[in-house]
Structures are given as structure tokens and as C-alpha cells.
Amino acid sequence: MKAEAVRHILDSIAVMFPDAHCELKHSNPFELTIAVLLSAQCTDATVNKVTADLFQKYKTPEDYVSVPPEELEQDIRRIGLFRSKAKHIQSLCKILIEQYNSKVPSDYNKLVQLPGVGRKTANVVISNAFGVPAIAVDTHVERVSKRLGLAGWNDSVLEVEKKLMKQVPKEEWTVTHHRLIFFGRYHCKAQNPACADCPLLDVCREGKKRMKKSQLSKDRDK
């Protein structure tokens, strides 16, 4: 995609969501890491409801490893895949205690080696907790990027990430990540995107297709 088209997309989304930010509630890098780990296949809203109590009970890695796995499972049972996530959390906390003085490392390569931490989680943590430019690709970012032509329909998550990093100025990586999430979460939704009211309809192949189908349906109903 040409640089002017990318700029148009970035500027339009910036106008729509100038205050886009990480919606997972946290007060330090450790809490953010736990919250992002819990957010896999789960909404941020649900995670925030669970962590409201969780972060009162567990404040350090030592707190998480001091309880039986079953107890932690009960504390996060409203979260999808809570058993495997509880296991990952306790394994992650043990490593933090043993290797990192109970602190979350700010190095990407060290983060992705932690249990339950993949590229997305590591990118969210380094960008939001440590101020390192990064683009984390979740379902919203992937969907929006493909609809707008910033990535190909068949691109993997990694390919989407690499293409965004190439097209978006590095100093805008983190804020673009947040804005794409807000755009996908509140406007360009998976099932009912607001195509008719979208300022990016002119460059959105998915939107044009949907609007054409909608018009054809209206014409048939006349």
C-alpha cells in the first residue's frame, strides 16, 4: 500500500479514537503481564472484573506460587481456559522469582520465553509497561488490517505484524496498536461493522463489498 494511503488510514483512525489506550487495568508491569495472559480468548471487560479481586489478593509472584493450583483456578474461573492459565501463571511466577528477582523483564526475547507469553503478550508488555515501540496483533488488529488492505487476507499474525511495522512509523507503533484495537472493537466489528458511517470506506475492500451486497439486497426488495 502507498504511503499516502497508509497515512490516510492512520490519520482517520486517530481522529476517531484520539484517546485509545490499553483497557486492561493494571498498576505495574507484573499486573499487566498477568492481565494480558488472562485476556487470551477473553474480553478485556471480563478480565478487569476478575483482576479487580485478583490483584487485591495476589500482589507479587510469591503470592501466586504460595497457593495450591486449585485455589488460583477458582479465583480466575470466570476466565476462559482458566485451568491452563492458572498453570501458566504459577510457572511464570516461579521463573520470575528464580531468574529475575521477582521482576518482569523488559527484554522482548526474555518475555516470550515465559510460560503463557507469546508475541502479542510480550509486545503489549514492552510497549505499555516499558515504553518500547511495538505493535501487538490481536484479533481486532488482524481483522482491521486485512479489511483495510494493510495486510493480505491469508497473512499469518506474524506477517500482519511485520507489514504494520514496515508501513507505520516506528514512533507511532504503540498508539497505532491501541487505535486499531479501538477501531475494531467499537466501529469495525467482526459481525456488524459500521461501514455506512466509516470514513475509511473509500479504501476498505471489505466495506465496499458489504455495502454492495446491502444495496443489491435493497434493490431486490423494491
Side-chain angles (χ1 to χ4, degrees), residues 40-109:
Q41 299 183 41
C42 184
T43 66
D44 286 0
T46 298
V47 173
N48 286 335
K49 290 177 182 177
V50 171
T51 57
D53 293 325
L54 192 73
F55 292 163
Q56 288 298 314
K57 180 177 180 180
Y58 304 95
K59 297 184 181 298
T60 67
E62 287 81 0
D63 292 336
Y64 282 97
V65 301
S66 68
V67 300
E70 296 78 16
E71 184 174 343
L72 180 55
E73 289 175 4
Q74 281 300 115
D75 290 332
I76 64 170
R77 68 188 316 275
R78 284 181 289 171
I79 299 283
L81 306 174
F82 66 93
R83 288 190 178 87
S84 64
K85 289 178 181 179
K87 182 178 180 181
H88 283 147
I89 288 172
Q90 290 193 316
S91 297
L92 178 150
C93 287
K94 288 177 182 176
I95 293 175
L96 293 183
I97 294 168
E98 295 169 359
Q99 299 182 27
Y100 300 108
N101 195 30
S102 298
K103 302 294 184 182
V104 173
S106 59
D107 181 83
Y108 173 86
N109 293 317

Side-chain angles (χ1 to χ4, degrees), residues 1 5-6 9-10 144-152 155 160 163-164 167-168 180 205:
M1 179 177 286
V6 175
I9 291 173
L10 299 181
V144 168
S145 297
K146 291 181 176 181
R147 284 179 173 176
L148 293 175
L150 292 168
D155 284 348
V160 173
K163 287 185 177 180
L164 288 174
Q167 297 175 90
V168 178
L180 288 174
R205 49 190 177 179

